[in-house]
Amino acid sequence: MVWIQRRKVLASCLCITAAVFLLVTLQVVVELGKFERKKFKNSRLQDGHSEMEEVPQRLHSFLTKEALVWNRLKPLESAGYPVMLWWSPLTGETGRLGQCGADACFFTINRTYLHHDRTKAFLFYGTDFNIDSLPLPRKAHHDWALFHEESPKNNYKLFHKPVITLFNYTATFSRHSHLPLTTQYLEGIEVLKSRRYLVPLQSKNNLRKRLAPLVYVQSDCDPPSDRDSYVRELMTYIEVDSYGDCLRNKDLPPQLKGPVSMDADGFYRIIAQYKFILAFENAVCDDYITEKLWRPLKLGVVPVYYGSPSIVDWLPSNKSAILVSEFSHPRELASYIRRLDYDDRLYEPYVEWKLKGEISNQRLVTALRERKWGVQDTNQDNYIDAFECMVCTKVWDNIRLQEKGLPPKRWKAEATHLSCPEPTVFPFSAPRAPRGGSLREMWIPSFEQSKKEARALRRLVDRNQNFSAQEFWALVFKD
């Protein structure tokens, strides 16, 4: 009898221990889930490559609202929340109740919700958007929402009217998007005003004994903007220190050679020693502005900028960057930079705004003040949370309209929400450019091909039936 009682006590202890263990494990899983959401975006690379200049903040660290993370789906189903199905498994969450002000929606990557009667919206991440699997047939009450902060090189099909207008809601780098992400790489006004890394001009003049006037740091070579061709030509007229894999002629310290080092204090201090930096985007699109512009402005280095044609709308002051587009040839640009390098009176106006801490561009100030998300700020939602809530709120707005017997409001993306011109090459440097299989020769044919793919995809989606890859490609090559 005593032996039996001991076994009962032992079994009870084991049950209690197991229960405690499960509770602790659940708490750890929840906390790890929160932590993973916080660090998720920083772990992704700017263009899907291990390119040293693109790493910083492509998908800025997750910080979510209080959420139900584990999979107790039945109570959520019975509660009647509208379902937002991430068709691209960007968040990795199988079930979460997200609170968006007074509204709440159930967010999931679980595709079994495809035919659920409360599924109201499908969320897509642009880089992962492809023809292999789409939620078809699309019902009248199914909204499609696109999140895409990337340049066109990641998915050219999206940058044509037939495809971008498939979506009801967008969050892109364009100011015309429903949720503009134009300032996605800028933490705020204060980092622009900060003089933490600012090297005095006299010190920079002394450093010129061993440093070039210009620095270039790129490791994603031969992108659609053809920036390396321009820089290669520029190098024949002025000295450039190039640290990246592209046109490299100078090495970083070993501890700064990894891609994650581009936001390291040591890297900042090296770049801050220069007077000018070649800040060339990987693609030329209105409002596509990355850390290539913001980083030098934060460090007190004058950016020599090539990229967004609308860049003047976003600069902190009228004289804070040198625009490559204003020079007919690299020879003229080199001559202008040499003049500024030799004459402090000509150079100083480009950093005056920094020294005074004055941001005169009210468009930039307003955009940063009014955006509904933050960058590397644990006190604010990140822009994926803001995107989710934008869609959730609009879905609820229509639910309330229908409850009043009114027709729902139909939102639709416009071509301006994600639009870039055809890529071009710089003719003056073509003879010197690598030939045969070079990436720079791929972008124009790729762009032309993507127009055909966009038209084919639109026709198939409008048919509103599932289709095979064979059907898609047959239509592409028939076009």
Side-chain angles (χ1 to χ4, degrees):
M1 180 66 72
V2 173
W3 177 73
I4 293 174
Q5 288 178 339
R6 286 179 177 174
R7 288 194 63 180
K8 288 182 177 179
V9 171
L10 179 60
S12 298
C13 291
L14 287 173
C15 288
I16 292 171
T17 301
V20 171
F21 176 77
L22 287 172
L23 287 172
V24 171
T25 301
L26 178 60
Q27 182 63 30
V28 169
V29 169
V30 172
E31 293 302 319
L32 282 175
K34 292 179 181 177
F35 175 73
E36 285 302 314
R37 282 179 64 82
K38 288 183 180 180
K39 76 173 187 176
F40 176 76
K41 294 179 193 172
N42 282 339
S43 70
R44 302 289 296 269
L45 300 184
Q46 170 70 22
D47 289 320
H49 305 287
S50 296
E51 52 190 46
M52 67 189 304
E53 86 283 6
E54 301 287 3
V55 171
Q57 308 127 345
R58 172 176 167 271
L59 290 175
H60 310 304
S61 56
F62 263 113
L63 176 67
T64 61
K65 299 159 286 298
E66 288 301 317
L68 299 176
V69 184
W70 50 93
N71 293 323
R72 296 186 297 183
L73 301 184
K74 288 190 179 299
L76 292 175
E77 290 178 359
S78 63
Y81 297 104
V83 175
M84 310 286 109
L85 177 52
W86 270 103
W87 200 248
S88 309
L90 181 66
T91 64
E93 294 172 327
T94 54
R96 174 176 62 88
L97 189 63
Q99 193 69 38
C100 301
D103 300 321
C105 291
F106 182 66
F107 296 93
T108 181
I109 64 168
N110 187 346
R111 290 192 176 186
T112 62
Y113 279 86
L114 171 59
H115 301 295
H116 196 288
D117 60 359
R118 276 191 289 274
T119 297
K120 301 295 184 181
F122 293 84
L123 313 183
F124 299 86
Y125 178 49
T127 299
D128 298 332
F129 182 83
N130 58 66
I131 58 96
D132 295 334
S133 175
L134 291 174
L136 296 172
R138 181 178 180 179
K139 297 179 181 178
H141 65 276
H142 282 171
D143 288 338
W144 283 16
L146 175 69
F147 176 89
H148 193 54
E149 88 290 21
E150 295 276 17
S151 80
K153 62 174 289 190
N154 292 83
N155 198 336
Y156 257 129
K157 287 192 296 293
L158 295 169
F159 289 76
H160 301 294
K161 185 176 180 179
V163 174
I164 188 61
T165 53
L166 285 171
F167 299 96
N168 302 96
Y169 318 115
T170 62
T172 75
F173 55 74
S174 171
R175 75 184 77 181
H176 304 295
S177 173
H178 294 117
L179 182 70
L181 305 176
T182 315
T183 58
Q184 61 181 302
Y185 292 92
L186 180 58
E187 296 91 333
I189 288 294
E190 292 310 312
V191 297
L192 287 176
K193 293 181 178 180
S194 172
R195 299 173 62 177
R196 175 181 176 185
Y197 294 99
L198 184 66
V199 176
L201 181 54
Q202 189 56 50
S203 298
K204 291 191 178 192
N205 287 335
N206 293 333
L207 287 164
R208 281 284 288 108
K209 297 172 184 177
R210 61 179 179 84
L211 299 178
L214 279 160
V215 63
Y216 186 55
V217 189
Q218 303 287 14
S219 290
D220 174 27
C221 305
D222 292 319
S225 65
D226 198 29
R227 61 190 175 198
D228 294 332
S229 295
Y230 191 99
V231 176
R232 185 182 294 109
E233 179 75 5
L234 183 67
M235 283 175 157
T236 64
Y237 302 103
I238 193 169
E239 187 181 1
V240 178
D241 285 346
S242 181
Y243 289 96
D245 291 341
C246 312
L247 308 175
R248 183 172 66 231
N249 58 22
K250 204 173 182 70
D251 289 326
L252 288 166
Q255 69 274 18
L256 295 178
K257 287 187 176 180
V260 295
S261 69
M262 296 303 98
D263 270 338
D265 182 82
F267 176 74
Y268 279 6
R269 296 197 181 278
I270 288 174
I271 300 304
Q273 298 176 100
Y274 288 86
K275 287 186 173 181
F276 307 92
I277 185 169
L278 292 169
F280 283 43
E281 305 288 7
N282 64 33
V284 177
C285 306
D286 275 344
D287 299 337
Y288 179 62
I289 305 164
T290 71
E291 79 288 345
K292 300 189 184 56
L293 174 75
W294 305 123
R295 182 189 291 141
L297 292 174
K298 291 189 290 186
L299 301 181
V301 181
V302 177
V304 180
Y305 184 81
Y306 179 71
S308 170
S310 58
I311 190 61
V312 292
D313 290 344
W314 302 102
L315 293 173
S317 76
N318 290 334
K319 205 160 192 178
S320 50
I322 296 170
L323 305 183
V324 172
S325 60
E326 295 181 353
F327 297 86
S328 60
H329 192 277
R331 185 190 307 107
E332 280 70 42
L333 175 61
S335 176
Y336 184 72
I337 291 173
R338 278 198 301 271
R339 285 172 54 202
L340 269 58
D341 182 33
Y342 296 147
D343 191 335
D344 290 352
R345 292 173 302 173
L346 297 177
Y347 180 86
E348 285 170 343
Y350 282 95
V351 292
E352 184 177 7
W353 70 272
K354 182 79 168 180
L355 295 172
K356 293 183 176 180
E358 295 178 352
I359 309 295
S360 59
N361 185 348
Q362 287 307 305
R363 177 191 294 274
L364 177 61
V365 172
T366 301
L368 291 170
R369 183 179 65 245
E370 294 184 352
R371 68 185 183 186
K372 301 180 184 302
W373 42 272
V375 178
Q376 295 185 340
D377 185 349
T378 57
N379 295 316
Q380 291 183 284
D381 288 341
N382 63 75
Y383 52 22
I384 291 184
D385 287 327
F387 169 68
E388 289 182 338
C389 278
M390 174 188 71
V391 179
C392 176
T393 299
K394 291 187 182 301
V395 165
W396 268 108
D397 286 345
N398 276 340
I399 290 174
R400 285 186 280 267
L401 285 173
Q402 290 176 304
E403 288 174 347
K404 296 177 182 178
L406 300 173
K409 183 175 181 179
R410 304 310 301 172
W411 294 80
K412 185 178 179 181
E414 303 291 340
T416 55
H417 289 203
L418 204 57
S419 176
C420 298
E422 179 178 344
T424 59
V425 296
F426 292 105
F428 53 75
S429 59
R432 293 191 183 93
R435 307 299 295 177
S438 170
L439 273 176
R440 70 185 294 274
E441 297 180 348
M442 177 189 78
W443 297 116
I444 295 177
S446 177
F447 182 87
E448 292 301 321
Q449 169 80 3
S450 69
K451 288 194 290 188
K452 297 179 180 180
E453 293 178 16
R455 289 193 294 266
L457 181 59
R458 182 59 186 248
R459 287 172 62 183
L460 290 169
V461 172
D462 284 347
R463 192 181 68 179
N464 209 23
Q465 298 175 10
N466 285 311
F467 57 88
S468 66
Q470 289 83 356
E471 288 180 273
F472 171 76
W473 289 113
L475 198 55
V476 169
F477 291 114
K478 181 181 178 182
D479 195 347

